[in-house]
């Protein structure tokens, strides 16, 4: 049945890795983030997001073959200065320290990219992929996708706050599994894998889902997506848990008389 509002066809909802992760962690947090407009007034800017977003923007330009103006260390530094986001820092000193760390990260990344060529070409950067899952679209924004000489398609994800990464972390990372699933739908006849790069050290890890694993994961995504869409968020009672400490929405939950 097609639902019509104000003489227009309702848009099919979109489920993303972030939405899945937030819902699994706390359905009440999902309510304040995506359902109840009151939540937006409690969202605070965070320095870690500003830092990570800045690095992602610069790396997007560096790995974009169409952006010829950001290919050397000097050009990357200039792009970094232009792209810097200063929201969420508690002091000028904290921001200056973060800026210096970001500069070192980018300089090392550029140097290693030229010293250790991967034998792959970049197909696209910062691209959103969507797959129709029936009741909803599954969508993910991929930092970078590379193609290797043997035909393998690899999604690369940058982690600005990590020093190390291992294969086990990829296996439990919802976003990386979603990215593999989306890429496999786009390239069904090609091997698909995912890589996380810990930007603070350059350490990386690779993982490829087996066909049976991907099938199980796809079924799980369909199930959790339907659960997210069918949830009655206004009937959810907030429950105190470890992740409440530091949550932007804690003041809202405390207003609920049943919150404990």
């Amino acid at each position: 049945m097609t639902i019509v509002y104000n003489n227009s066809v309702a848009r099919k909802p979109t489920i993303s890795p972030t939405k899945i992760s937030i819902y699994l962690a706390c359905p009440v947090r999902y309510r304040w983030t995506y359902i109840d407009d009151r939540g937006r007034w409690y969202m605070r800017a965070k320095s870690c997001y500003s830092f990570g977003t800045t690095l992602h923007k610069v790396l997007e330009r560096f790995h974009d073959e169409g952006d010829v103006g950001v290919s050397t260390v000097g050009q990357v530094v200039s792009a970094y200065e232009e792209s810097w986001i200063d929201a969420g820092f508690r002091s000028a000193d904290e921001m200056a320290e973060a800026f210096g760390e970001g500069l070192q990260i980018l300089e090392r990344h550029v140097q290693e990219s030229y010293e250790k060529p991967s034998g792959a070409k970049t197909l696209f950067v910062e691209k959103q992929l969507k797959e129709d899952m029936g009741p909803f679209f599954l969508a993910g924004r991929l930092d970078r996708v590379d193609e290797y000489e043997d035909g393998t398609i690899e999604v690369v994800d940058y982690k600005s706050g990590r020093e190390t990464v291992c294969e086990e972390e990829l296996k439990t990372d919802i976003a990386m599994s979603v990215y593999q699933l989306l890429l496999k739908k786009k390239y069904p006849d090609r091997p698909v894998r995912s890589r996380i790069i810990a930007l603070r050290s350059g350490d990386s890890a690779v993982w490829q889902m087996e066909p049976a694993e991907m099938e199980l994961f796809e079924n799980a995504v369909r199930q959790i997506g339907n659960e997210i869409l069918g949830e009655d968020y206004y009937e959810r009672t907030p429950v105190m848990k470890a992740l409440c400490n530091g949550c932007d929405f804690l003041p809202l939950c405390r207003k609920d008389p049943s919150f404990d």
Side-chain angles (χ1 to χ4, degrees):
M1 179 178 68
T2 301
I3 303 173
V4 178
Y5 297 104
N6 298 325
N7 297 320
S8 62
V9 178
R11 295 175 62 186
K12 184 179 292 191
T14 297
I15 299 297
S16 67
T18 300
K19 286 184 176 181
I20 293 173
S21 297
I22 289 177
Y23 177 81
L24 292 176
C26 179
V28 176
R29 183 181 175 189
Y30 187 97
R31 168 189 169 179
W32 298 126
T33 305
Y34 298 109
I35 305 298
D36 196 321
D37 287 342
R38 289 176 293 170
R40 62 182 175 179
W41 302 107
Y42 289 80
M43 292 182 180
R44 296 169 295 177
K46 295 178 175 62
S47 59
C48 59
Y49 295 158
S50 298
F51 182 71
T53 299
T54 300
L55 292 181
H56 276 69
K57 285 184 175 180
V58 178
L59 290 172
E60 174 189 355
R61 295 190 63 187
F62 175 68
H63 288 286
D64 184 354
E65 294 183 357
D67 194 339
V68 296
V70 183
S71 58
T72 67
V73 171
Q75 290 170 336
V76 166
V77 170
S78 295
Y80 177 59
E81 293 172 344
E82 295 169 2
S83 304
W84 179 255
I85 301 171
D86 59 8
F89 292 95
R90 292 171 295 182
S91 67
D93 288 342
E94 182 186 55
M95 185 171 68
E97 182 178 355
F99 186 90
E101 290 177 353
L103 200 59
Q104 293 176 351
I105 287 171
L106 291 172
E107 288 176 342
R108 182 181 60 249
H109 183 86
V110 173
Q111 291 170 353
E112 290 181 351
S113 295
Y114 286 117
E115 292 172 0
K116 303 175 183 178
S118 64
K121 66 176 182 179
T122 298
L123 294 180
F124 45 81
V125 292
E126 289 297 329
K127 182 178 179 67
Q128 185 182 67
L129 295 183
K130 269 188 176 184
E131 178 66 23
D132 193 335
M133 306 292 279
F136 60 90
F137 286 112
L138 178 65
R141 181 166 289 279
L142 287 59
D143 289 349
R144 186 176 111 213
V145 173
D146 291 346
E147 179 184 31
Y148 283 76
E149 293 177 353
D150 65 357
T152 298
I153 304 296
E154 180 181 272
V155 56
V156 179
D157 199 61
Y158 309 118
K159 300 296 183 184
S160 59
R162 292 192 191 179
E163 290 281 354
T164 61
V165 63
C166 65
E167 183 179 314
E168 288 303 312
E169 290 177 277
L170 273 81
K171 291 181 178 180
T172 58
D173 190 306
I174 292 173
M176 300 310 292
S177 295
V178 167
Y179 299 158
Q180 280 201 51
L181 176 59
L182 291 172
L183 279 172
K184 193 62 177 178
K185 295 291 185 180
K186 186 175 177 64
Y187 302 100
D189 300 325
R190 309 280 287 279
V192 172
R193 68 190 184 199
S194 55
R195 179 187 300 273
I196 286 179
I197 297 178
L199 289 176
R200 290 182 180 273
S201 64
D203 188 30
S204 70
V206 180
W207 173 59
Q208 181 174 333
M209 267 198 280
E210 297 294 333
E213 290 178 301
M214 188 167 291
E215 182 178 357
L216 287 172
F217 180 74
E218 181 175 352
N219 291 335
V221 167
R222 292 182 185 277
Q223 180 179 344
I224 195 65
N226 288 327
E227 186 177 323
I228 288 172
L229 297 178
E231 178 69 51
D232 187 348
Y233 294 94
Y234 290 93
E235 292 298 317
R236 276 278 185 173
T237 299
V239 178
M240 189 70 181
K241 56 184 73 173
L243 58 81
C244 292
N245 295 322
C247 177
D248 290 350
F249 308 121
L250 186 56
L252 279 168
C253 290
R254 282 180 169 153
K255 292 179 181 180
D256 191 308
S258 60
F259 181 63
D260 184 7

